[in-house]
Amino acid sequence: MLRFFSKIRLKLATENKAAKYLRYAVGEILLVVIGILIALQVNNWNEQRKDRIQERMFLVRLEAEVSNDIENISNSIRANKSRMQRAEFLLAAIDQPQLAEDSATYFIQSIEYAGYTNNPVVSDNTFEEIKSSGKLSLIRNEKLRSAIQEYYSWTSKRGQYNFILQDNQLNYLHERRGILSPRQQINMGSFKPSEQCSPSEAKQVYERMMKKNGFLESLPFVIQTQVRTGESFEDIKQQATELKTMIEKELNN
């Protein structure tokens, strides 16, 4: 009987030792699992923190570039409006020759400058960097992300329109050849010519202009192009202004 109880006690002791070992092993495993989960959570938090820092950096750079775009577009709008007014003046002078002599310098300068189109420089450096690196998703605000993509799609689509502008400008340059005298043409090499023109010079230029049917016929197209260009630039300026406001709001949040 004693041997029987001794065996039972030995068996219980062995089972108790095994249970203690199992509990210890389970505890160790739990500690390792908890440590891994904590490490993963810390790593995930660090990655998110890095993403937020990079997102803010991108938005700050985008805001600066869009602000610069707005200034460039505004300058182009003013320049093109001035050149459209010059083309309108030349068109009016066809039926009112006295306008040329009364505003001799403005008239002669308009022959040179009316056909030019000022195309604003829109910087897409930051956007292209974000897109090429596949990090556009870092911008969490979906509405803002969509607005950014829509804004920069204009820069990629305007290539064909730029070709039309350049074609019209080249045609104007071709048609106005020979209207200004060689000395006047050389003087126009500066965008800020200081030399004042006399009414008699303007009269001579006017007479040469009136013999250039191709030039006279080009003036309405020059004005039309400037009107369309102005409307296009006003639209993209408004889009840029709205985008800048959205970016600033996101940065403040």
Side-chain angles (χ1 to χ4, degrees), residues 137-173:
S137 60
L138 286 180
I139 300 175
R140 293 166 294 172
N141 187 322
E142 291 185 11
K143 188 175 180 180
L144 174 58
R145 188 166 65 242
S146 177
I148 291 171
Q149 290 175 301
E150 183 178 352
Y151 173 71
Y152 286 104
S153 69
W154 178 81
T155 62
S156 61
K157 290 177 182 176
R158 64 177 180 160
Q160 183 176 358
Y161 184 64
N162 286 346
F163 175 79
I164 296 173
L165 292 179
Q166 291 167 5
D167 186 60
N168 288 341
Q169 183 168 297
L170 288 173
N171 179 64
Y172 179 87
L173 295 175

Coordinates of all heavy atoms in Angstrom, one line a residue, residues 137-173:
S137 N -0.3 59.0 -52.1 CA -1.2 58.6 -51.1 C -0.9 59.1 -49.7 O -1.7 59.0 -48.8 CB -1.3 57.1 -51.0 OG 0.0 56.5 -50.7
L138 N 0.3 59.7 -49.5 CA 0.7 60.3 -48.2 C -0.2 61.5 -47.9 O -0.4 61.8 -46.7 CB 2.2 60.8 -48.3 CG 3.2 59.7 -48.2 CD1 4.6 60.3 -48.3 CD2 3.1 58.8 -47.0
I139 N -0.8 62.1 -48.9 CA -1.7 63.2 -48.7 C -3.0 62.6 -48.4 O -3.8 62.1 -49.3 CB -1.8 64.1 -50.0 CG1 -0.4 64.7 -50.3 CG2 -2.8 65.3 -49.8 CD1 -0.3 65.5 -51.5
R140 N -3.4 62.6 -47.1 CA -4.5 61.9 -46.6 C -5.9 62.5 -47.1 O -6.8 61.7 -47.3 CB -4.5 61.8 -45.1 CG -3.3 60.9 -44.6 CD -3.1 61.2 -43.1 NE -2.7 62.6 -42.8 CZ -2.6 63.1 -41.6 NH1 -3.0 62.4 -40.6 NH2 -2.2 64.3 -41.4
N141 N -5.9 63.8 -47.2 CA -7.2 64.5 -47.5 C -7.5 64.2 -49.0 O -6.8 64.7 -49.9 CB -7.0 66.0 -47.3 CG -8.3 66.7 -47.5 OD1 -9.1 66.4 -48.4 ND2 -8.6 67.7 -46.7
E142 N -8.5 63.3 -49.3 CA -8.8 62.9 -50.6 C -9.2 64.0 -51.5 O -8.9 64.1 -52.7 CB -9.9 61.8 -50.6 CG -9.5 60.5 -50.0 CD -10.5 59.4 -50.1 OE1 -11.5 59.7 -50.8 OE2 -10.4 58.4 -49.4
K143 N -10.0 65.0 -51.0 CA -10.4 66.1 -51.7 C -9.2 67.0 -52.2 O -9.2 67.5 -53.3 CB -11.4 67.0 -50.9 CG -12.1 68.1 -51.7 CD -13.1 68.8 -50.8 CE -13.8 69.9 -51.6 NZ -14.8 70.6 -50.8
L144 N -8.3 67.2 -51.2 CA -7.1 67.9 -51.6 C -6.2 67.2 -52.6 O -5.7 67.8 -53.5 CB -6.3 68.2 -50.3 CG -4.9 68.9 -50.5 CD1 -5.1 70.2 -51.2 CD2 -4.2 69.0 -49.1
R145 N -6.1 65.9 -52.4 CA -5.3 65.1 -53.3 C -5.9 65.2 -54.8 O -5.1 65.3 -55.7 CB -5.3 63.6 -52.9 CG -4.3 62.8 -53.7 CD -4.0 61.5 -52.9 NE -5.2 60.6 -52.8 CZ -5.7 60.2 -51.7 NH1 -5.2 60.6 -50.5 NH2 -6.8 59.5 -51.7
S146 N -7.2 65.1 -54.9 CA -7.9 65.2 -56.2 C -7.7 66.6 -56.8 O -7.4 66.7 -58.0 CB -9.4 64.9 -56.0 OG -10.0 65.1 -57.2
A147 N -7.7 67.6 -55.9 CA -7.6 69.0 -56.4 C -6.1 69.2 -57.0 O -5.9 69.9 -58.0 CB -7.9 70.0 -55.3
I148 N -5.2 68.6 -56.3 CA -3.8 68.7 -56.7 C -3.6 68.1 -58.1 O -3.0 68.6 -59.0 CB -2.8 68.1 -55.7 CG1 -2.8 68.9 -54.4 CG2 -1.4 68.0 -56.2 CD1 -2.1 68.3 -53.2
Q149 N -4.1 66.9 -58.2 CA -4.0 66.2 -59.5 C -4.7 66.9 -60.6 O -4.2 67.0 -61.7 CB -4.6 64.8 -59.4 CG -3.8 63.8 -58.5 CD -4.5 62.5 -58.3 OE1 -5.6 62.4 -57.7 NE2 -3.9 61.4 -58.7
E150 N -5.9 67.5 -60.3 CA -6.6 68.2 -61.4 C -5.9 69.5 -61.8 O -5.8 69.8 -63.0 CB -8.0 68.6 -60.8 CG -8.9 69.3 -61.8 CD -10.2 69.7 -61.3 OE1 -10.6 69.2 -60.2 OE2 -11.0 70.4 -62.0
Y151 N -5.3 70.2 -60.8 CA -4.5 71.4 -61.1 C -3.3 71.1 -62.0 O -3.1 71.8 -63.0 CB -4.0 72.1 -59.8 CG -3.1 73.2 -60.0 CD1 -3.6 74.4 -60.5 CD2 -1.7 73.1 -59.8 CE1 -2.7 75.5 -60.8 CE2 -0.9 74.2 -60.0 CZ -1.4 75.4 -60.5 OH -0.6 76.5 -60.7
Y152 N -2.6 70.1 -61.7 CA -1.4 69.8 -62.5 C -1.7 69.1 -63.8 O -0.8 69.0 -64.7 CB -0.4 69.0 -61.7 CG 0.3 69.9 -60.6 CD1 0.0 69.8 -59.3 CD2 1.3 70.8 -61.0 CE1 0.6 70.6 -58.4 CE2 1.9 71.6 -60.1 CZ 1.5 71.5 -58.8 OH 2.1 72.4 -57.8
S153 N -2.9 68.6 -64.0 CA -3.3 68.0 -65.3 C -3.3 69.2 -66.3 O -3.1 68.9 -67.5 CB -4.6 67.3 -65.2 OG -5.7 68.3 -65.0
W154 N -3.6 70.4 -65.9 CA -3.6 71.5 -66.8 C -2.3 71.8 -67.4 O -2.2 72.1 -68.6 CB -4.1 72.8 -66.1 CG -4.1 74.0 -66.9 CD1 -5.1 74.4 -67.8 CD2 -3.1 75.1 -67.0 NE1 -4.8 75.6 -68.4 CE2 -3.6 76.0 -68.0 CE3 -1.9 75.3 -66.4 CZ2 -2.8 77.1 -68.3 CZ3 -1.1 76.4 -66.7 CH2 -1.6 77.3 -67.7
T155 N -1.2 71.6 -66.6 CA 0.1 71.8 -67.2 C 0.5 70.8 -68.2 O 1.3 71.1 -69.1 CB 1.2 71.8 -66.0 OG1 1.2 70.5 -65.4 CG2 0.9 72.8 -64.9
S156 N 0.0 69.6 -68.1 CA 0.3 68.5 -69.1 C -0.6 68.7 -70.3 O -0.2 68.2 -71.4 CB 0.1 67.2 -68.4 OG -1.3 67.0 -68.0
K157 N -1.8 69.3 -70.2 CA -2.7 69.4 -71.3 C -2.5 70.6 -72.2 O -2.9 70.7 -73.3 CB -4.2 69.4 -70.8 CG -4.7 68.1 -70.2 CD -6.1 68.3 -69.7 CE -6.6 67.0 -69.0 NZ -7.9 67.2 -68.5
R158 N -1.7 71.6 -71.7 CA -1.6 72.8 -72.4 C -0.6 72.8 -73.5 O -0.4 73.8 -74.2 CB -1.3 74.0 -71.4 CG 0.1 73.9 -70.8 CD 0.4 75.1 -69.9 NE 1.6 75.0 -69.2 CZ 2.3 76.0 -68.7 NH1 1.8 77.2 -68.8 NH2 3.5 75.8 -68.1
G159 N 0.1 71.7 -73.7 CA 1.1 71.6 -74.7 C 0.5 71.9 -76.1 O 1.1 72.6 -76.9
Q160 N -0.7 71.3 -76.4 CA -1.3 71.5 -77.7 C -1.7 72.9 -77.9 O -1.5 73.5 -78.9 CB -2.5 70.6 -77.9 CG -3.1 70.7 -79.3 CD -4.3 69.7 -79.4 OE1 -4.6 68.9 -78.5 NE2 -4.9 69.7 -80.6
Y161 N -2.2 73.5 -76.8 CA -2.7 74.9 -76.9 C -1.4 75.8 -77.0 O -1.5 76.8 -77.8 CB -3.4 75.3 -75.6 CG -4.0 76.7 -75.6 CD1 -5.0 77.1 -76.5 CD2 -3.6 77.6 -74.7 CE1 -5.5 78.3 -76.6 CE2 -4.1 78.9 -74.7 CZ -5.0 79.3 -75.6 OH -5.6 80.5 -75.7
N162 N -0.3 75.5 -76.4 CA 0.9 76.3 -76.6 C 1.3 76.3 -78.0 O 1.9 77.3 -78.5 CB 2.0 75.8 -75.7 CG 1.8 76.1 -74.2 OD1 0.9 76.9 -73.9 ND2 2.5 75.4 -73.3
F163 N 1.2 75.2 -78.7 CA 1.6 75.1 -80.1 C 0.7 76.0 -80.9 O 1.3 76.7 -81.8 CB 1.3 73.6 -80.6 CG 1.6 73.5 -82.1 CD1 2.9 73.3 -82.5 CD2 0.6 73.4 -83.0 CE1 3.2 73.2 -83.9 CE2 0.8 73.3 -84.3 CZ 2.1 73.1 -84.8
I164 N -0.5 76.2 -80.6 CA -1.4 77.1 -81.4 C -0.9 78.5 -81.1 O -0.9 79.3 -82.0 CB -2.9 76.9 -80.9 CG1 -3.4 75.5 -81.3 CG2 -3.8 78.0 -81.6 CD1 -4.8 75.2 -80.8
L165 N -0.6 78.9 -79.8 CA -0.2 80.2 -79.5 C 1.1 80.5 -80.3 O 1.3 81.6 -80.8 CB 0.1 80.3 -78.0 CG -1.2 80.3 -77.1 CD1 -0.7 80.4 -75.6 CD2 -2.1 81.4 -77.4
Q166 N 2.0 79.6 -80.3 CA 3.3 79.8 -80.9 C 3.1 80.0 -82.4 O 3.8 80.8 -83.1 CB 4.3 78.6 -80.6 CG 4.7 78.6 -79.2 CD 5.4 77.2 -78.8 OE1 5.6 76.4 -79.7 NE2 5.7 77.1 -77.5
D167 N 2.2 79.2 -83.0 CA 2.0 79.3 -84.4 C 1.4 80.7 -84.8 O 1.8 81.3 -85.8 CB 1.0 78.2 -84.8 CG 0.8 78.1 -86.3 OD1 1.8 77.9 -87.1 OD2 -0.4 78.3 -86.8
N168 N 0.4 81.1 -84.0 CA -0.1 82.5 -84.2 C 0.9 83.6 -84.1 O 0.9 84.5 -84.8 CB -1.3 82.7 -83.2 CG -2.5 81.9 -83.6 OD1 -2.7 81.4 -84.7 ND2 -3.4 81.7 -82.6
Q169 N 1.8 83.4 -83.1 CA 2.8 84.4 -82.8 C 3.8 84.4 -84.0 O 4.2 85.5 -84.5 CB 3.6 84.1 -81.5 CG 4.6 85.1 -81.2 CD 5.1 84.9 -79.7 OE1 4.3 85.1 -78.8 NE2 6.3 84.6 -79.5
L170 N 4.2 83.2 -84.5 CA 5.2 83.2 -85.6 C 4.5 83.8 -86.9 O 5.2 84.5 -87.6 CB 5.6 81.7 -85.9 CG 6.5 81.1 -84.8 CD1 6.7 79.6 -85.1 CD2 7.8 81.8 -84.8
N171 N 3.2 83.6 -87.1 CA 2.6 84.1 -88.2 C 2.5 85.7 -88.1 O 2.8 86.3 -89.1 CB 1.1 83.6 -88.3 CG 0.4 84.2 -89.5 OD1 0.7 83.9 -90.6 ND2 -0.7 85.0 -89.2
Y172 N 2.3 86.2 -86.9 CA 2.3 87.6 -86.7 C 3.7 88.2 -87.0 O 3.8 89.2 -87.7 CB 1.9 88.0 -85.3 CG 1.9 89.5 -85.0 CD1 0.7 90.2 -85.3 CD2 3.0 90.1 -84.5 CE1 0.7 91.6 -85.0 CE2 3.0 91.5 -84.2 CZ 1.8 92.2 -84.5 OH 1.8 93.6 -84.3
L173 N 4.7 87.6 -86.5 CA 6.1 88.0 -86.7 C 6.4 88.1 -88.2 O 7.1 89.0 -88.7 CB 7.1 87.2 -86.0 CG 7.0 87.2 -84.4 CD1 7.9 86.2 -83.8 CD2 7.2 88.6 -83.9

